[in-house]
Amino acid sequence: MSAPPFWISARFGIRRGVHITDIEVREIRLPLKEPFRISSGAVTERRILLVRIVDADGCTAWAECVAGEQPNYSADTVDTSWLALSQWFGPRLLGTQVDRATEVDALLAKGVHGHRMARATLEMAMWGLQAKRSGIPLSQLLGGTRADLEVGISIGIQDSPAALVERARAALASGYRRIKMKIEPGSDVEHVAAVRSALGPAAPLMVDANNAYSLDDTATLQRLDDFDLMMIEQPLDHEDIVRHAALQRVLRTPLCLDESITSLDRAHDMITLRAGRIVNIKPGRVGGLSAAIAIHDLCESHAIPVWCGGMLESGIGRAYNVALASLPNFSIAGDISPSARYWERDIVSPEWTMTDGMMSVPSAPGIGVSVDADRIDDLTVRTRMLHR
Ligand code: OSB
Ligand code: MG
């Protein structure tokens, strides 16, 4: 007897596993409206890997790889992830029947070091597929409880304090609930002081250093305590936990770790050593949504708030971030800016929008937005098809 079609198994809850038959890996180019500069590098056009998975019933899901072009945020890049997806993780997923998306992380991680952004891409696609097959929104499948999310913005390093003030003022006026300013040595205390004095004591401000400092800079970082920031994100090395703990002991401002939290174990280390009081969660950085949820739950049990970070995603990656950020302990506005902040035109419809500083969590099944396949075709620079 042949298997029932997926809509029947979804409706009647027949569990018989998902078998992926095809994986398409694509690279697209999507120019940013304006260059984005952080302490470790700048980007003007995003090279973005997308995957599309197809199961034996013909059900499909898209997901996005958040790796950048250069290995400055993570060792993972567009090109290493392309290799990892097409050589290792794609074939492994094609060769295995899985019952639930929660099994994919272990499947892809077995015997593997690193390449979390590539693993996360397929892991997220499987969550998107499971939500679609089950006829429920991804947020519901993940355990989300919020219908509307507070939106934050991440402002790249600006040439002068005045330019940063202008950007931050515009962001506040357009409704953003949290304003993150990128800093580096030489563009820090003076820039932040100018913004605080221009925007007033109530403005929800924070900074992100992307590893640009060392403990030798402790005195500079202590001066940031004067500005009542919500947090200082990842001041020290991308692999460091212990020095962040030493720094946190002499700072009033909470530290938030981003790059250093690559797994549930690292989050546990941070909490145990008191190396930070807040965690930025990005599913791509930790190998997918299962690990992201596990970190969310661990932090919740220790009263550590979390928020959803961003990697300049297109509308596809944003869908996964938004669904994740609807979980209860995401109590701080995420870096989930609307499509128009990044792109002239996004690759999903409807585009992601913000009203009064809030973004709605989609209620449609699956990732909740439709993917513009024609536009993706127009933007594609290479495609790899993998079959069972
Ligand atoms: O550190 O959070 C970061 C973008 C690229 C690499 C690292 C980071 C960022 C951002 C962008 O801050 C946030 C966004 O997607 O809007
Ligand atoms: Mg960061």
Side-chain angles (χ1 to χ4, degrees), residues 36 38 73 154 180 182 208 210 233 258-259 280 282 309-313 318 335-337 341-342:
F36 187 77
I38 67 177
Y73 170 84
S154 174
K180 164 165 134 180
K182 293 290 187 176
D208 184 359
N210 291 105
E233 184 176 341
D258 172 356
E259 284 91 332
N280 166 330
K282 298 175 179 173
M311 291 291 288
L312 309 174
E313 287 92 345
R318 198 158 308 280
D335 279 345
I336 47 171
S337 295
R341 145 102 177 115
Y342 310 92

Side-chain angles (χ1 to χ4, degrees), residues 4 32 39 78 102:
L32 285 161
S39 60
V78 170
T102 47

Side-chain angles (χ1 to χ4, degrees), residues 116-378:
R116 287 189 172 83
M117 292 180 179
R119 278 152 45 190
T121 313
L122 288 175
E123 198 258 8
M124 290 194 280
M126 291 293 285
W127 280 101
L129 187 78
Q130 186 176 327
K132 195 173 184 181
R133 288 181 60 107
S134 307
I136 59 171
L138 178 63
S139 58
Q140 186 184 328
L141 183 62
L142 299 180
T145 54
R146 285 165 218 268
D148 295 284
L149 309 176
E150 288 194 311
V151 180
I153 189 172
S154 174
I155 302 176
I157 295 172
Q158 304 294 314
D159 292 338
S160 66
L164 181 59
V165 167
E166 192 184 310
R167 290 307 166 97
R169 199 195 293 283
L172 200 60
S174 57
Y176 284 103
R177 303 293 179 102
R178 180 186 48 77
I179 297 172
K180 164 165 134 180
M181 301 169 281
K182 293 290 187 176
I183 58 168
E184 66 183 359
S187 301
D188 43 35
V189 177
E190 202 193 335
H191 285 60
V192 174
V195 173
R196 177 54 85 201
S197 99
L199 270 52
L205 303 179
M206 63 167 288
V207 295
D208 184 359
N210 291 105
N211 335 294
Y213 297 87
S214 76
L215 285 179
D216 295 344
D217 303 305
T218 299
T220 302
L221 295 166
Q222 282 176 313
R223 289 180 64 196
L224 295 175
D225 266 344
D226 293 344
F227 306 118
D228 217 0
L229 300 173
M230 299 168 75
M231 68 195 92
I232 299 173
E233 184 176 341
Q234 195 74 37
L236 307 180
D237 189 76
H238 67 108
E239 290 183 317
D240 178 76
I241 300 277
V242 170
R243 289 158 194 81
H244 279 100
L247 181 61
Q248 181 68 91
R249 282 195 288 275
V250 298
L251 285 182
R252 223 176 22 250
T253 311
L255 291 181
C256 167
L257 297 190
D258 172 356
E259 284 91 332
S260 291
I261 308 300
T262 50
S263 65
L264 180 63
D265 282 349
R266 292 293 83 72
H268 202 256
D269 293 348
M270 183 203 90
I271 293 168
T272 305
L273 297 175
R274 301 183 198 279
R277 301 183 190 143
I278 299 172
V279 177
N280 166 330
I281 299 184
K282 298 175 179 173
R285 193 193 63 224
V286 300
L289 288 164
S290 299
I293 293 167
I295 293 169
H296 162 276
D297 294 350
L298 175 74
C299 289
E300 187 169 44
S301 71
H302 287 86
I304 300 275
V306 303
W307 54 282
C308 184
M311 291 291 288
L312 309 174
E313 287 92 345
S314 79
I316 294 176
R318 198 158 308 280
Y320 290 89
N321 286 348
V322 165
L324 177 67
S326 72
L327 270 67
N329 193 38
F330 281 86
S331 54
I332 298 171
D335 279 345
I336 47 171
S337 295
S339 301
R341 145 102 177 115
Y342 310 92
W343 324 112
E344 291 298 341
R345 191 178 144 204
D346 207 336
I347 59 174
V348 299
S349 69
E351 294 203 347
W352 296 96
T353 57
M354 175 174 81
T355 308
D356 191 24
M358 304 292 285
M359 185 175 283
S360 299
V361 180
S363 51
I367 66 170
V369 287
S370 52
V371 172
D372 187 341
D374 289 338
R375 175 150 169 74
I376 290 175
D377 280 344
D378 291 343

Side-chain angles (χ1 to χ4, degrees), residues 49-105:
L49 293 189
L50 300 174
V51 302
R52 182 172 157 271
I53 61 173
V54 184
D55 73 13
D57 299 314
C59 193
T60 67
W62 287 90
E64 174 169 348
C65 179
V66 300
E69 180 166 4
Q70 302 291 332
N72 61 321
Y73 170 84
S74 152
D76 297 20
T77 69
V78 170
D79 296 301
T80 65
S81 299
W82 176 276
L83 176 83
L85 284 162
S86 40
Q87 299 281 309
W88 309 316
F89 305 134
R92 198 181 281 196
L93 184 61
L94 287 168
T96 317
Q97 176 174 307
V98 289
D99 287 320
R100 320 187 71 86
T102 47
E103 296 166 12
V104 179
D105 186 16

